[in-house]
Amino acid sequence: MPGPIQSLTRAASILRLLAGGERRLGLSDVASSLGLAKGTAHGILRTLQQEGFVEQDAASGKYQLGAELLRLGNSYLDVHELRARALVWTDDLARSSGEAVYLGVLHQQGVLIVHHVFRPDDSRQVLEVGAMQPLHSSALGKVLAAYDPVAHNELADVKREPLTPRTITELPDLEGVLDLTRARGWASDLEETWDGVASIAAPIHDRRKVPVGAVGITGAVERLCEDGDIRAQLVAAVRDCARSVSRDLGAGRF
C-alpha cells in the first residue's frame, strides 16, 4: 500500500500549526516549529497562498489561514443538521445573554466547535469555528460526557491536562461533576479551561432522544457570575436555547 505523500503531509502540518497558538506566524517560526528547511516551508506556504488556503499579512510578512479554508469548512458544516437548526436560536441566545455562543459536538476525544456567534458588542473577536475544546474542563465537554456514553468513554481514556489551577483531572472527581450535570441539566466551567473565563452549557437531543451536541455561552467570570455563583437567568437562557434546538430536531419536550 502506498505511503503518505510527504508534501501533502507537510502542508497539512502547516495548516494545523496556523490554526492554533498565535494564529499568525513568520516563515522562520513555521520552519523551526515543524523542523523544515526555510526553503521547503516557503515553497509550501507559497503554494497554499496561491490556492487561497493561506494569506500573508503585507505589513508583518506573517502567515495566517486563508478564506478558502473557511469556505470549505462552512460547506462541510452546512451539511450538519444540528448547525442548520441552531442558527436562529444561537443568534437569539447571544442577543439575550450578551455573550458569545458556541455549538459543539464530540470529535476526536474533544469538542469540535461547529458554530460560533460573536458577543454582540464592538470588541475584537476571533471566529473559533473548527477549534477544539477539552472534554474534561469545558462546559460543552462536561455536557457531552454526561449525556453521551461515547463521550464518557473518551473522557476516561483521554489525557486530562491541568489547564488552570481549578481544572479537575481525577476521574472519580469528574464523575461527581457529571452526576451533578445530569441532575440539574447543565454544566459550568468556572476558570477550569481559561483563567478569568466562565462558561455554561446544556445538551441538545435529536428525535431519538439521543444527545447530538451541546450549546453554551462563554464570557468573563464577572459577567457570568454573581457572588461566586453562575447567574440563574443565564442558565435559564442557555437551557431554553438547547430545548428549542432539540425541539427543532424532533426531540419534543425535554
Side-chain angles (χ1 to χ4, degrees), residues 92-100 118-121 218 223 234:
D92 286 347
L93 177 58
R95 282 192 295 268
S96 65
S97 67
E99 301 295 343
F118 283 170
R119 185 172 62 255
D121 60 19
T218 296
R223 294 198 305 268
L234 294 179

Side-chain angles (χ1 to χ4, degrees), residues 35-188:
L36 299 175
K38 279 190 179 181
T40 301
H42 186 244
I44 296 172
L45 283 165
R46 282 190 59 129
T47 302
L48 291 171
Q49 185 178 0
Q50 289 168 1
E51 296 298 326
F53 297 132
V54 164
E55 297 173 356
Q56 188 176 26
D57 181 66
S60 67
K62 292 186 176 183
Y63 295 90
Q64 64 185 22
L65 295 180
E68 182 65 12
L69 278 176
L70 179 61
R71 186 186 69 81
L72 292 177
N74 281 336
S75 297
Y76 164 76
L77 293 171
D78 281 340
V79 305
H80 204 299
E81 185 183 7
L82 170 61
R83 181 175 185 263
R85 297 287 186 179
L87 293 178
V88 172
W89 300 113
T90 50
D91 282 349
D92 286 347
L93 177 58
R95 282 192 295 268
S96 65
S97 67
E99 301 295 343
V101 178
Y102 295 87
L103 186 70
V105 297
L106 178 67
H107 181 69
Q108 295 182 350
Q109 296 188 319
V111 183
L112 173 67
I113 303 302
V114 297
H115 186 52
H116 172 200
V117 183
F118 283 170
R119 185 172 62 255
D121 60 19
D122 295 327
S123 62
R124 185 176 182 274
Q125 300 174 63
V126 176
L127 186 67
E128 295 190 41
V129 171
M132 296 289 290
Q133 292 188 9
L135 280 174
H136 68 292
S137 63
S138 68
L140 293 171
K142 292 175 191 176
V143 164
L144 292 175
Y147 287 90
D148 183 348
V150 176
H152 185 272
N153 291 337
E154 298 284 10
L155 175 68
D157 294 338
V158 75
K159 187 175 182 180
R160 298 177 294 275
E161 298 284 357
L163 304 174
T164 75
R166 299 179 63 116
T167 307
I168 300 172
T169 59
E170 296 299 321
L171 192 56
D173 296 330
L174 281 169
E175 292 290 1
V177 172
L178 300 185
D179 287 342
L180 177 61
T181 297
R182 284 186 288 267
R184 64 187 184 182
W186 58 278
S188 64

Side-chain angles (χ1 to χ4, degrees), residues 227-238:
D227 297 327
D229 293 323
I230 296 287
R231 295 178 184 272
Q233 65 269 32
L234 294 179
V235 173
V238 170

Side-chain angles (χ1 to χ4, degrees), residues 143-144 147-149 203-206 209-213:
V143 164
L144 292 175
Y147 287 90
D148 183 348
I204 296 171
H205 298 80
D206 67 7
K209 306 295 192 279
V210 173
V212 292

Side-chain angles (χ1 to χ4, degrees), residues 164 166 189-198 219-223:
T164 75
R166 299 179 63 116
D189 165 6
L190 291 176
E191 298 188 272
E192 297 169 55
T193 306
W194 303 281
D195 288 324
V197 177
V221 170
E222 57 267 25
R223 294 198 305 268

Side-chain angles (χ1 to χ4, degrees), residues 3-37:
I5 300 173
Q6 188 179 56
S7 59
L8 292 179
T9 301
R10 287 173 170 173
S13 297
I14 287 175
L15 293 175
R16 291 192 186 97
L17 180 66
L18 293 174
E22 295 296 321
R23 300 296 177 99
R24 282 187 180 181
L25 296 172
L27 174 59
S28 297
D29 299 321
V30 173
S32 61
S33 296
L34 299 177
L36 299 175

